[in-house]
Amino acid sequence: MTEAVLYDYWRSSASYRMRVALNLAGIAFTSVPVDLVAKEHKTPEHIARHPQGLVPVLEIDGLRLTQSLSMLDYLDRTRTMGLLPEDPARRAAQTALAHAIAVDIHPVCNLQVVAYAAEITGNREGVREDWMKRFIRPGLQAVETMLGGFEQSPFCCGDTPGLADICLMPQMYNARRWGVEVSDLPRILAIEAACADHPAFAAAHPDRCRPA
Ligand SMILES: N[C@@H](CCC(=O)N[C@@H](CS)C(=O)NCC(=O)O)C(=O)O
């Protein structure tokens, strides 16, 4: 079988999610960096891979997949990863946790969104940091409250990493990058520590994946 290929960017949250999931599934993959700062994601070559001009893109099983949540669902169903429980009610609750991050916090903090916010406010010094703090902190505070409905032992929803952990860890990387206050979010901090100790997460960390 052809090895999987992940078109990704070291600092991209959605790419980080996919690196974690591929590692958890034990799928060997080649990373092809797409430099967002150099706008490589807007080249015709990349748009041909991803009509939205975003990363990541995953080539696997003869398919070319976009949208990290769809890719995670594909891996979960084809590799039986157990990222979500079968029980519909528990599944809905855990999906809500992942979506609170990946669907609500992440998109407003995307590179092109923040760049535009900075542009229309005259590129005031510190505007990017302010924007990130404005959206990431309340988003994570809500996630902290939502986590109260789950038993952490030690991951978001149990003793194995699931969809919510895969979404949370990259969001925490981004929170720390932008200096967001997180010290009063104990559940999230405990999950972050557990994930940091897990080899699949450690190998996917941006610092380990930054092109030389
Ligand atoms: N919903 C998409 C989001 C993908 C996305 O927003 N990727 C970001 C990096 S995390 C990107 O390519 N940003 C480029 C830009 O903002 O110009 C997914 O989950 O795959």
Side-chain angles (χ1 to χ4, degrees), residues 93-118:
Q94 294 192 26
T95 307
L97 205 48
H99 286 194
I101 300 164
V103 178
D104 292 333
I105 305 176
H106 173 255
V108 284
C109 298
N110 218 334
L111 192 63
Q112 58 187 332
V113 175
V114 185
Y116 186 61

mmCIF file of all heavy atoms in Angstrom, residues 93-118:
data_model
loop_
_atom_site.group_PDB
_atom_site.id
_atom_site.type_symbol
_atom_site.label_atom_id
_atom_site.label_comp_id
_atom_site.label_asym_id
_atom_site.label_seq_id
_atom_site.Cartn_x
_atom_site.Cartn_y
_atom_site.Cartn_z
ATOM 1 N N ALA A 93 -22.180 14.206 23.195
ATOM 2 C CA ALA A 93 -21.535 15.060 24.203
ATOM 3 C C ALA A 93 -20.048 15.239 23.895
ATOM 4 O O ALA A 93 -19.496 16.339 24.025
ATOM 5 C CB ALA A 93 -21.724 14.449 25.585
ATOM 6 N N GLN A 94 -19.403 14.166 23.470
ATOM 7 C CA GLN A 94 -17.955 14.267 23.184
ATOM 8 C C GLN A 94 -17.700 15.027 21.884
ATOM 9 O O GLN A 94 -16.726 15.768 21.769
ATOM 10 C CB GLN A 94 -17.338 12.871 23.148
ATOM 11 C CG GLN A 94 -17.382 12.209 24.522
ATOM 12 C CD GLN A 94 -16.537 10.954 24.602
ATOM 13 O OE1 GLN A 94 -15.574 10.795 23.860
ATOM 14 N NE2 GLN A 94 -16.879 10.063 25.510
ATOM 15 N N THR A 95 -18.597 14.847 20.926
ATOM 16 C CA THR A 95 -18.446 15.601 19.676
ATOM 17 C C THR A 95 -18.617 17.097 19.951
ATOM 18 O O THR A 95 -17.908 17.925 19.366
ATOM 19 C CB THR A 95 -19.493 15.120 18.634
ATOM 20 O OG1 THR A 95 -19.384 13.719 18.511
ATOM 21 C CG2 THR A 95 -19.245 15.748 17.277
ATOM 22 N N ALA A 96 -19.528 17.425 20.855
ATOM 23 C CA ALA A 96 -19.754 18.836 21.196
ATOM 24 C C ALA A 96 -18.475 19.473 21.752
ATOM 25 O O ALA A 96 -18.137 20.624 21.441
ATOM 26 C CB ALA A 96 -20.891 18.955 22.203
ATOM 27 N N LEU A 97 -17.766 18.704 22.556
ATOM 28 C CA LEU A 97 -16.504 19.191 23.133
ATOM 29 C C LEU A 97 -15.493 19.494 22.014
ATOM 30 O O LEU A 97 -14.870 20.564 21.985
ATOM 31 C CB LEU A 97 -15.974 18.083 24.049
ATOM 32 C CG LEU A 97 -15.059 18.358 25.206
ATOM 33 C CD1 LEU A 97 -15.552 19.495 26.073
ATOM 34 C CD2 LEU A 97 -14.943 17.069 26.056
ATOM 35 N N ALA A 98 -15.371 18.553 21.096
ATOM 36 C CA ALA A 98 -14.427 18.743 19.976
ATOM 37 C C ALA A 98 -14.855 19.911 19.097
ATOM 38 O O ALA A 98 -14.018 20.733 18.680
ATOM 39 C CB ALA A 98 -14.342 17.458 19.156
ATOM 40 N N HIS A 99 -16.167 20.027 18.860
ATOM 41 C CA HIS A 99 -16.646 21.108 17.990
ATOM 42 C C HIS A 99 -16.515 22.473 18.655
ATOM 43 O O HIS A 99 -16.305 23.483 17.967
ATOM 44 C CB HIS A 99 -18.100 20.853 17.584
ATOM 45 C CG HIS A 99 -18.242 19.763 16.574
ATOM 46 N ND1 HIS A 99 -19.382 19.546 15.856
ATOM 47 C CD2 HIS A 99 -17.366 18.804 16.166
ATOM 48 C CE1 HIS A 99 -19.214 18.519 15.035
ATOM 49 N NE2 HIS A 99 -18.002 18.047 15.221
ATOM 50 N N ALA A 100 -16.655 22.511 19.974
ATOM 51 C CA ALA A 100 -16.484 23.795 20.671
ATOM 52 C C ALA A 100 -15.106 24.374 20.357
ATOM 53 O O ALA A 100 -14.921 25.598 20.307
ATOM 54 C CB ALA A 100 -16.650 23.592 22.176
ATOM 55 N N ILE A 101 -14.146 23.492 20.135
ATOM 56 C CA ILE A 101 -12.792 23.938 19.806
ATOM 57 C C ILE A 101 -12.626 24.105 18.291
ATOM 58 O O ILE A 101 -12.308 25.185 17.793
ATOM 59 C CB ILE A 101 -11.753 22.920 20.338
ATOM 60 C CG1 ILE A 101 -11.877 22.804 21.849
ATOM 61 C CG2 ILE A 101 -10.336 23.325 19.912
ATOM 62 C CD1 ILE A 101 -11.188 21.586 22.449
ATOM 63 N N ALA A 102 -12.853 23.004 17.567
ATOM 64 C CA ALA A 102 -12.492 22.987 16.141
ATOM 65 C C ALA A 102 -13.442 23.794 15.265
ATOM 66 O O ALA A 102 -13.046 24.291 14.208
ATOM 67 C CB ALA A 102 -12.450 21.536 15.655
ATOM 68 N N VAL A 103 -14.690 23.941 15.702
ATOM 69 C CA VAL A 103 -15.673 24.633 14.869
ATOM 70 C C VAL A 103 -15.895 26.067 15.347
ATOM 71 O O VAL A 103 -16.219 26.946 14.557
ATOM 72 C CB VAL A 103 -17.011 23.849 14.866
ATOM 73 C CG1 VAL A 103 -18.081 24.560 14.063
ATOM 74 C CG2 VAL A 103 -16.792 22.436 14.327
ATOM 75 N N ASP A 104 -15.709 26.297 16.655
ATOM 76 C CA ASP A 104 -16.013 27.628 17.178
ATOM 77 C C ASP A 104 -14.777 28.471 17.525
ATOM 78 O O ASP A 104 -14.728 29.638 17.161
ATOM 79 C CB ASP A 104 -16.949 27.508 18.390
ATOM 80 C CG ASP A 104 -18.329 27.015 17.975
ATOM 81 O OD1 ASP A 104 -18.716 27.256 16.816
ATOM 82 O OD2 ASP A 104 -19.017 26.389 18.801
ATOM 83 N N ILE A 105 -13.804 27.907 18.200
ATOM 84 C CA ILE A 105 -12.626 28.727 18.558
ATOM 85 C C ILE A 105 -11.683 28.849 17.357
ATOM 86 O O ILE A 105 -11.261 29.946 16.983
ATOM 87 C CB ILE A 105 -11.818 28.127 19.739
ATOM 88 C CG1 ILE A 105 -12.684 27.891 20.971
ATOM 89 C CG2 ILE A 105 -10.641 29.055 20.092
ATOM 90 C CD1 ILE A 105 -11.946 27.211 22.134
ATOM 91 N N HIS A 106 -11.356 27.717 16.776
ATOM 92 C CA HIS A 106 -10.288 27.694 15.776
ATOM 93 C C HIS A 106 -10.519 28.602 14.551
ATOM 94 O O HIS A 106 -9.619 29.384 14.197
ATOM 95 C CB HIS A 106 -10.021 26.234 15.351
ATOM 96 C CG HIS A 106 -9.074 26.106 14.212
ATOM 97 N ND1 HIS A 106 -9.486 25.791 12.940
ATOM 98 C CD2 HIS A 106 -7.738 26.291 14.138
ATOM 99 C CE1 HIS A 106 -8.427 25.768 12.146
ATOM 100 N NE2 HIS A 106 -7.364 26.059 12.841
ATOM 101 N N PRO A 107 -11.707 28.572 13.922
ATOM 102 C CA PRO A 107 -11.840 29.351 12.679
ATOM 103 C C PRO A 107 -11.649 30.855 12.851
ATOM 104 O O PRO A 107 -11.060 31.498 11.972
ATOM 105 C CB PRO A 107 -13.272 29.035 12.219
ATOM 106 C CG PRO A 107 -13.588 27.725 12.843
ATOM 107 C CD PRO A 107 -12.887 27.735 14.179
ATOM 108 N N VAL A 108 -12.096 31.420 13.964
ATOM 109 C CA VAL A 108 -11.938 32.879 14.121
ATOM 110 C C VAL A 108 -10.487 33.257 14.408
ATOM 111 O O VAL A 108 -10.136 34.443 14.387
ATOM 112 C CB VAL A 108 -12.850 33.485 15.217
ATOM 113 C CG1 VAL A 108 -14.267 33.605 14.759
ATOM 114 C CG2 VAL A 108 -12.754 32.733 16.526
ATOM 115 N N CYS A 109 -9.654 32.271 14.720
ATOM 116 C CA CYS A 109 -8.245 32.558 15.012
ATOM 117 C C CYS A 109 -7.338 32.135 13.859
ATOM 118 O O CYS A 109 -6.113 32.080 14.017
ATOM 119 C CB CYS A 109 -7.837 31.854 16.307
ATOM 120 S SG CYS A 109 -8.795 32.446 17.705
ATOM 121 N N ASN A 110 -7.934 31.857 12.727
ATOM 122 C CA ASN A 110 -7.169 31.446 11.559
ATOM 123 C C ASN A 110 -6.294 32.597 11.061
ATOM 124 O O ASN A 110 -6.627 33.762 11.229
ATOM 125 C CB ASN A 110 -8.144 31.010 10.454
ATOM 126 C CG ASN A 110 -7.616 29.829 9.699
ATOM 127 O OD1 ASN A 110 -6.406 29.620 9.643
ATOM 128 N ND2 ASN A 110 -8.511 29.071 9.109
ATOM 129 N N LEU A 111 -5.199 32.229 10.415
ATOM 130 C CA LEU A 111 -4.225 33.213 9.929
ATOM 131 C C LEU A 111 -4.884 34.322 9.098
ATOM 132 O O LEU A 111 -4.676 35.511 9.340
ATOM 133 C CB LEU A 111 -3.180 32.457 9.094
ATOM 134 C CG LEU A 111 -1.912 33.187 8.706
ATOM 135 C CD1 LEU A 111 -1.108 33.564 9.933
ATOM 136 C CD2 LEU A 111 -1.065 32.302 7.775
ATOM 137 N N GLN A 112 -5.716 33.917 8.128
ATOM 138 C CA GLN A 112 -6.279 34.933 7.230
ATOM 139 C C GLN A 112 -7.294 35.815 7.957
ATOM 140 O O GLN A 112 -7.427 37.001 7.637
ATOM 141 C CB GLN A 112 -6.895 34.290 6.003
ATOM 142 C CG GLN A 112 -7.990 33.291 6.276
ATOM 143 C CD GLN A 112 -8.431 32.567 5.014
ATOM 144 O OE1 GLN A 112 -8.341 33.103 3.913
ATOM 145 N NE2 GLN A 112 -8.897 31.345 5.163
ATOM 146 N N VAL A 113 -7.971 35.281 8.957
ATOM 147 C CA VAL A 113 -8.949 36.063 9.717
ATOM 148 C C VAL A 113 -8.224 37.110 10.567
ATOM 149 O O VAL A 113 -8.573 38.296 10.572
ATOM 150 C CB VAL A 113 -9.807 35.139 10.616
ATOM 151 C CG1 VAL A 113 -10.732 35.942 11.507
ATOM 152 C CG2 VAL A 113 -10.590 34.150 9.767
ATOM 153 N N VAL A 114 -7.194 36.671 11.253
ATOM 154 C CA VAL A 114 -6.439 37.584 12.125
ATOM 155 C C VAL A 114 -5.718 38.638 11.291
ATOM 156 O O VAL A 114 -5.662 39.816 11.671
ATOM 157 C CB VAL A 114 -5.434 36.783 12.988
ATOM 158 C CG1 VAL A 114 -4.733 37.706 13.966
ATOM 159 C CG2 VAL A 114 -6.141 35.683 13.738
ATOM 160 N N ALA A 115 -5.199 38.215 10.145
ATOM 161 C CA ALA A 115 -4.488 39.172 9.277
ATOM 162 C C ALA A 115 -5.457 40.251 8.800
ATOM 163 O O ALA A 115 -5.113 41.444 8.762
ATOM 164 C CB ALA A 115 -3.864 38.434 8.090
ATOM 165 N N TYR A 116 -6.682 39.859 8.482
ATOM 166 C CA TYR A 116 -7.661 40.838 7.998
ATOM 167 C C TYR A 116 -8.100 41.755 9.142
ATOM 168 O O TYR A 116 -8.240 42.970 8.963
ATOM 169 C CB TYR A 116 -8.864 40.117 7.379
ATOM 170 C CG TYR A 116 -9.842 41.071 6.738
ATOM 171 C CD1 TYR A 116 -9.456 41.892 5.680
ATOM 172 C CD2 TYR A 116 -11.153 41.175 7.205
ATOM 173 C CE1 TYR A 116 -10.346 42.786 5.101
ATOM 174 C CE2 TYR A 116 -12.052 42.066 6.634
ATOM 175 C CZ TYR A 116 -11.639 42.868 5.584
ATOM 176 O OH TYR A 116 -12.522 43.760 5.014
ATOM 177 N N ALA A 117 -8.293 41.167 10.315
ATOM 178 C CA ALA A 117 -8.664 41.981 11.480
ATOM 179 C C ALA A 117 -7.580 43.031 11.744
ATOM 180 O O ALA A 117 -7.881 44.198 12.037
ATOM 181 C CB ALA A 117 -8.856 41.092 12.704
ATOM 182 N N ALA A 118 -6.327 42.603 11.619
ATOM 183 C CA ALA A 118 -5.219 43.541 11.836
ATOM 184 C C ALA A 118 -5.226 44.622 10.761
ATOM 185 O O ALA A 118 -5.073 45.822 11.052
ATOM 186 C CB ALA A 118 -3.896 42.776 11.845
#
